[in-house]
Amino acid sequence: MSQDPWLQNYDATCRLAQEIAENIHERNRQQRTGGNPAKINMTLRASLQKLKQTVSQLKEGLLRASSSRQLMQSEADRRQNLIDDLLTREKHLNATFKGDVTEPEPSRSTLMAGGAGASGGAAGNPWLVNESDETRGLTFGEIKQQQQRIVEAQDAGLDALAAVISRQKIMGQEIGNELEEQNGMLVVIVLLLIAIVVIAVWPV
């Protein structure tokens, strides 16, 4: 099954947020080493504006889907939580870019290097400082694959639920048709009984 366009946009927004975090990390490194971060600052401003727009688009898309009842309430709530997390990321990224907060210490230096040693100078992922047991020790690519598997499993569960609901609807329609037929037969029987009683008591 093809992935939901909203989820595709969400994944792209997460990648954008990750890219911004890495660029802020690089900008700060350049500042510490006496480099000129002017170019990367321009890129960051444009990326932060794009992040704001894409998060807003996700909110609008979820609102439309919820209003038209295209989503189950549990899925709408799950997606709202994803948006809330993105809003928190966006706020933190803006604050870090402006220097209002400092970068968190990276949890591991090899996240984006796919297992390369710390001497390779790979940037850490500031979003995984308090990472869970499920993601600890995984590369960024492996984490994304894990998230994709979770989404696919959820999609499969929703498909199965939709199939069950569809079968129940069909069964309900069949039961309704049978009841209508039985009611029709019952009316005929009652009319026949009435006719028999009338004939029996009618004077000859």
Side-chain angles (χ1 to χ4, degrees):
M1 188 184 80
S2 59
Q3 191 178 10
D4 187 299
W6 190 95
L7 293 175
Q8 290 179 337
N9 292 337
Y10 169 76
D11 288 342
T13 305
C14 286
R15 289 193 294 270
L16 176 60
Q18 177 63 33
E19 178 183 328
I20 293 172
E22 293 165 8
N23 284 339
I24 291 176
H25 185 83
E26 174 61 20
R27 188 275 308 267
N28 293 347
R29 186 193 66 80
Q30 291 182 13
Q31 288 177 334
R32 289 193 299 268
T33 57
N36 184 4
K39 183 177 180 180
I40 197 168
N41 275 333
M42 290 180 59
T43 300
L44 281 168
R45 289 191 185 93
S47 296
L48 286 167
Q49 182 62 29
K50 182 178 180 181
L51 178 63
K52 180 179 180 180
Q53 293 173 350
T54 54
V55 172
S56 179
Q57 290 170 358
L58 286 172
K59 290 170 63 178
E60 293 173 359
L62 177 58
L63 180 60
R64 286 195 300 269
S66 299
S67 300
S68 58
R69 297 186 178 182
Q70 297 176 8
L71 296 175
M72 297 178 61
Q73 186 59 48
S74 58
E75 176 62 12
D77 291 342
R78 186 183 76 87
R79 294 189 181 189
Q80 183 60 55
N81 289 336
L82 295 177
I83 290 177
D84 291 341
D85 179 63
L86 277 176
L87 287 170
T88 300
R89 292 189 182 189
E90 180 193 356
K91 181 178 179 181
H92 183 87
L93 286 170
N94 275 289
T96 305
F97 172 69
K98 295 174 182 177
D100 295 337
V101 296
T102 58
E103 283 186 285
E105 289 297 323
S107 59
R108 57 178 180 269
S109 62
T110 59
L111 179 63
M112 299 304 298
S119 59
N125 183 354
W127 300 117
L128 295 178
V129 176
N130 297 319
E131 55 188 314
S132 65
D133 293 336
E134 288 78 8
T135 59
R136 186 170 292 112
L138 299 179
T139 66
F140 180 69
E142 290 170 338
I143 293 173
K144 293 300 294 181
Q145 290 176 1
Q146 184 185 72
Q147 292 175 340
Q148 182 65 31
R149 287 194 295 269
I150 292 173
V151 170
E152 289 174 353
Q154 290 172 338
D155 286 344
L158 290 174
D159 287 343
L161 179 59
V164 170
I165 293 174
S166 178
R167 287 196 297 270
Q168 290 177 336
K169 182 178 180 181
I170 293 174
M171 291 174 60
Q173 291 173 342
E174 292 176 348
I175 291 173
N177 293 336
E178 290 179 1
L179 289 175
E180 288 181 0
E181 292 177 0
Q182 292 175 359
N183 287 337
M185 293 176 62
L186 183 60
V187 170
V188 172
I189 293 173
V190 170
L191 291 175
L192 287 174
L193 289 175
I194 292 174
I196 292 173
V197 170
V198 170
I199 294 173
V201 299
W202 195 266
V204 179

